[in-house]
Amino acid sequence: MMRKKYVFMVIALISILSCDPGKEPTEISSPNGQLTVSFNLNSDGQPYYRVQHDNKLVIDSSYLGFEFTDAPALGSNLKLIQATKKSFDETWQMPWGEQLDVVNRYEELAVELEEQNTSNRKVRVVFRVYDDGLGFRYEFPEQEGWQTALIAEEQTQFKLTEDYKTFWIPGDWDIYEHLYNTTAFSEIDALAKRNHPNLAQTYIPNNAVNTPVTMVGKNGLHLSFHEAALVDYSDMTLGIDADNLRMTSILVGSENREHKVECELPFHTPWRTIQITENAPGLIESNLIVNLNEPNKIGDVSWFKPMKYTGVLWEMHLGKSSWDYGMEQVNGNWTDTGKAHGRHGATTENVKRFIDFSAANNIGGVLVEGWNTGWERWIGFPDREGVFDFLTPYPDYDINEVTRYAREKGVEIIMHHETSAATETYTKQMDSAYGLMQYYGMHAVKSGYVGKILPDGEYHHGQYMVDHYNMAVEKAAKYQVAVNAHEPIKATGLRRTYPNAVSREGLRGQEFNAWSIEKGNPSEHLPIVAFTRMLAGPIDFTPGIFNIKFDEYRGDSQVNTTLAQQLALYVVIYSPVQMAADLVEHYEANPEPLQFIRDVGVDWQQSKVLNGEVGDYVTIARQERDTGNWFLGAITDENERELKIDLDFLDENVSYTARIYRDGDNAHWDDNPLDLVIEEIKLNSSSELTLKLAAGGGVAISMIKD
Ligand code: NOJ
Ligand code: CA
């Protein structure tokens, strides 16, 4: 793989301004001048900020502060000691990503505040203003008499100036796998989303939303609220004050202690981010979240190669095979018989089928779920510690033979660690489990955290788990292992710092189409996800289901898209590990659409979002690294539509052979999902195309240089 040399260019200009309180507010504008953030203190010494876009107020006076369990609140009687401004401009390179070069250009304002009473505590607030949004964080410097901050709550406000159309999921402390809701901001009711029957864990204590939460204004302004660089802190949900059009941070807590976050000084919080763009595509093209993270800390990661993969997974979700080896119904009760029941999916023989299929179809990996002992006591068992074993295969899985065979065929086995959220067992075995992978030359693990967190009282999104997930990524890097976590903490751009954090779930994935009570994800799901969850980072959605209705397995469920849309997802939904999730036999029966999966890239030189509206449709074109070939995907919700696109992004003076995989004239996600037309034409940079998408449909195009 071609890797250009790291080009690193930094220009920084620093100026220090002394400020008297009471004077003009301290202001800073984005490099293009469109976005302005102003900071000020009111007469009680309470800090607040405002944001303007083109001189229009977008965030009105929003106050900042903290509550502690062992000390008075911090957020009043503050004095501005000093304000520092800085310009920054660099271009850094993604080792893998939606693009190679990333411009990181911002104006920074740092304000130093000190309490004007007996305690004299100090805090800095740092704002970074980009052309496509802003981030700010709190920095607590080392100071006398204050070693440990026991944070009861962070009080960061976001005061809106309009009752935005909002795309949201509830502020669940335990899972992000909810359907998106589309309502006016003032109509958000997260508490109505409690107790979802398909979730192995869920806890929604407040009327709050999780992030990214995306909003669309009447004049077309798009806002998305999230956070960047979530390290040693809790996930921030946003509490909804409908009457005042205001959101206030609510950190995820724990039942085991009063405080929500514990940090030793000096420390800083994650960045609180607001992406602000004039249209929906701008949100996807924004690099704000990764830019607010620190550069690569783990050095060379060339041992990880972006790849497509198949695997033993969908057959379990369809009920064709099982993860476990010996669970049987005995007198109506599920019992571990210790004997093979014959439905176990991860057998040497079955995995070899996937290896052969991957090798024959330009697919780099095979994921093997259910290979190790412990699946007899995972979901729903309270005593899950000490059950899963990440070193011991079931008797019908010959790990030596499988890895030998895979190597011979040029395919990599992807490891699977379902922890069942029994964190202590996983932590204890981490070194030996990653060591085993290194021994077999495996460079990627999919981890899973299904169920309520053990120890009891912790939540998936609290500080305890944030530390656990980050520790796993850091440790894995030492064994040259890349991590794709399911039931993860949300992505906050840490892939810049730890490029081995390659992908994650953290949304309702394809699996819900196999078994959820709502009969899958509605057609609007992914056109919302592209503008919400995907802003956070790569998604392991597991696309590519060809047998859309799978009546022979689960007659009452189905995928709610056309086949053409399943192909388009390889381009629209970004991930450097991209599954071809369906069964080998379903692909072998459909060689024509399979050709797109064989051809499509997974690592990109550049990406262009050609059009889109949140919740309706989106079209993305991506250029593959190394080959320079282009791939395009367009998807729509339950409405059919026509989209005109201009191919002026193609290289000039180059002719491309394009293969178009589109919905047939009678295609429809429910009535006729398999109606697919494949056409081959020549294209160049002056070509224009009209894409016709069926209800729940899509278009996928490969454009290969002649
Ligand atoms: C949930 C994951 O999202 C899914 O991909 C996996 O197959 C199961 N857990 C079992 O680990
Ligand atoms: Ca899941």
Side-chain angles (χ1 to χ4, degrees), residues 17 24-29 36-39 52 85 108-109:
L17 320 161
E24 285 296 291
T26 311
E27 275 195 356
I28 187 120
S29 292
T36 299
V37 176
S38 51
F39 172 85
Q52 286 185 306
K85 287 186 177 179
E108 181 179 293
L109 165 70

Side-chain angles (χ1 to χ4, degrees), residues 50 180 226 298 432 438 463:
R50 283 185 203 174
Y180 279 86
H226 189 45
I298 60 170
S432 45
Q438 197 169 36
Q463 186 183 18

